[in-house]
Amino acid sequence: MRVAKLATLTFLAASTPSAVTAQSEAREAVRMMAHWRCSVWASMANDPAGSDDHFEKGLESARTFTEAARAGKISESDWDETVPIGVALTMSGPSNDFIAGRMFGFISDDAYDQVAKRDANGQLLPPGEYVLDQAVQSVIASNLLEKSNCSVL
């Protein structure tokens, strides 16, 4: 039975390589976003090695994604179903690295805001209630690292 399942999966994978590749390239946008959020939170939680590791992995995913996107390898349905809207909105610029920088700016601002400007339910705090104390930010960032499973990325 296991051999039959394996043979079927192998056949399916071999018969639709471009669809599988395009979908996995679209998922690189999600990986990039996850790694870069984790990078910001690790930095805020005083874990520079973790921050650097997540940044590099996010950059690798960003380059794979932007290259595929600019080459037209990602289908419209994969754009709609997989690519986060904030990533899609930052997809303009003269080079892949420029676009990656725009995406990092958007993602890092959002990750910071989750720590300093939003409550535990994700609701925006009034400006007078922003969390500005770095020790408290560190605790919140550590919680987000764990809650988001950053250690398993």
Side-chain angles (χ1 to χ4, degrees):
M1 184 69 162
R2 287 180 80 180
V3 174
K5 285 182 182 178
L6 182 59
T8 302
L9 289 174
T10 302
F11 172 77
L12 290 173
S15 65
T16 58
S18 62
V20 171
T21 301
Q23 188 178 40
S24 66
E25 288 172 332
R27 287 185 180 149
E28 289 297 318
V30 176
R31 281 187 201 91
M32 168 197 65
M33 194 167 200
H35 277 297
W36 280 347
R37 282 182 174 162
C38 293
S39 175
V40 170
W41 297 331
S43 177
M44 294 177 83
N46 301 312
D47 179 6
S51 179
D52 291 347
D53 184 52
H54 282 295
F55 177 82
E56 291 299 327
K57 289 177 181 175
L59 183 57
E60 183 179 322
S61 290
R63 287 179 172 155
T64 299
F65 170 71
T66 55
E67 184 177 305
R70 292 183 81 199
K73 295 180 181 177
I74 298 174
S75 71
E76 186 174 332
S77 65
D78 284 336
W79 273 101
D80 294 342
E81 296 169 14
T82 307
V83 178
I85 188 71
V87 170
L89 293 173
T90 58
M91 280 298 300
S92 62
S95 70
N96 291 343
D97 281 347
F98 181 89
I99 294 168
R102 291 189 68 206
M103 289 186 286
F104 179 76
F106 166 77
I107 294 165
S108 63
D109 285 350
D110 183 61
Y112 174 83
D113 287 354
Q114 282 185 275
V115 171
K117 297 181 181 182
R118 296 192 180 276
D119 67 17
N121 297 319
Q123 298 299 312
L124 189 61
L125 295 168
E129 295 180 28
Y130 288 172
V131 178
L132 303 177
D133 183 285
Q134 289 185 345
V136 176
Q137 286 181 352
S138 180
V139 170
I140 295 169
S142 293
N143 289 338
L144 286 168
L145 281 165
E146 186 158 331
K147 179 181 173 184
S148 301
N149 293 317
C150 292
S151 64
V152 298
L153 288 177

